[in-house]
Amino acid sequence: MLFRELVLPGVFLIEPEPHRDARGAFARVFCAESFAKQGLVSQFSQCSVSANTQGGTVRGMHYSAGPDAETKLVRCVSGSIFDVVLDLRPQSATFRQSVAFILTADDHRLLYIPAGFAHGFQTLTDDASVLYLIDRPFVAEAARGVRWNDPAFAINWPRPVSVISERDLNLPLLGDDTKYAMLPARGA
Ligand SMILES: Cc1cn([C@H]2C[C@H](O)[C@@H](COP(=O)(O)OP(=O)(O)O[C@H]3O[C@@H](C)C(=O)[C@@H](O)[C@H]3O)O2)c(=O)[nH]c1=O
């Protein structure tokens, strides 16, 4: 597996180097030994799939607060997505900056997203599914988010939004002087 740290320190694009042959391909999603060697979280407590019917669907920008802050490993397993990671660490030199990558089921690439970052994506195809490994149990009360189109971040979403949850539509905007940790829980 090849690990490339991105301009947001701590965020990695991971290329699993698939073995391809006439049948198709075999590639790792996760390797505890390789992750530990890189100094990354190497134990995950849940694995979930997000299935999305329509191209243009947006989910995000989500994170969990305080001691429940999650580290996530994200891979597209069907179709393709525009995947976004946003730095919400107030002390960070890259606070409020984001990176985005197209992940496809066929390219096998993964994004590693540590605590302190928000995550979201837009599906680029119908029936796009996203696999997550997350390092801790989901705690609904700790779930937070910022608005997908907050001008403070100016994320350049590639498509018009076709589907988005009510909750995500109503996530707060992050004012310049607002500390992300003080934002209310999603759905509160
Ligand atoms: C995220 C999550 C949700 N749920 C439940 C809560 C709710 O009833 C239902 C749908 O939850 P949500 O609307 O929050 O699902 P969704 O909007 O897909 O949330 C996800 O978005 C992406 C961008 C992420 O980065 C993920 O970590 C997660 O926050 O599933 C769990 O039981 N466990 C979980 O880990």
Side-chain angles (χ1 to χ4, degrees):
M1 299 184 104
L2 302 175
F3 294 79
R4 174 152 64 100
E5 191 166 14
L6 302 177
V7 289
L8 304 183
V11 179
F12 285 79
L13 183 71
I14 301 169
E15 302 192 42
E17 301 179 287
H19 301 274
R20 298 186 190 275
D21 61 26
R23 299 164 299 174
F26 182 94
R28 285 185 195 172
V29 171
F30 167 68
C31 170
E33 198 182 357
S34 307
F35 275 56
K37 265 191 200 151
Q38 289 288 326
L40 306 185
V41 167
S42 59
Q43 284 195 317
F44 290 91
S45 70
Q46 55 154 312
C47 180
S48 303
V49 168
S50 161
N52 303 276
T53 312
Q54 279 191 42
T57 300
V58 165
R59 298 188 191 229
M61 299 293 300
H62 299 165
Y63 64 96
S64 293
D68 297 307
E70 299 168 332
T71 292
K72 301 172 193 174
L73 185 63
V74 176
R75 188 203 191 286
C76 179
V77 289
S78 169
S80 64
I81 61 169
F82 176 82
D83 206 54
V84 185
V85 185
L86 169 67
D87 190 347
L88 286 181
R89 301 168 303 171
Q91 313 307 327
S92 165
T94 52
F95 180 48
R96 294 190 294 159
Q97 290 182 32
S98 61
V99 291
F101 285 88
I102 292 174
L103 303 180
T104 74
D106 293 335
D107 73 15
H108 295 265
R109 299 192 303 178
L110 302 132
L111 271 172
Y112 174 91
I113 305 160
F117 294 83
H119 169 252
F121 62 85
Q122 182 171 43
T123 58
L124 299 175
T125 58
D126 290 346
D127 299 319
S129 292
V130 178
L131 178 82
Y132 295 87
L133 291 176
I134 300 179
D135 71 330
R136 60 194 60 240
F138 176 64
V139 178
E141 301 71 39
R144 302 282 192 281
V146 290
R147 189 93 56 85
W148 67 283
N149 59 353
D150 188 331
F153 314 128
I155 295 167
N156 200 7
W157 298 97
R159 286 194 171 195
V161 177
S162 60
V163 185
I164 185 169
S165 70
E166 273 301 308
R167 180 186 287 183
D168 283 357
L169 273 181
N170 291 303
L171 287 171
L173 300 169
L174 184 77
D176 280 353
D177 55 358
T178 307
K179 290 287 178 282
Y180 79 100
M182 294 165 60
L183 297 172
R186 282 195 274 147

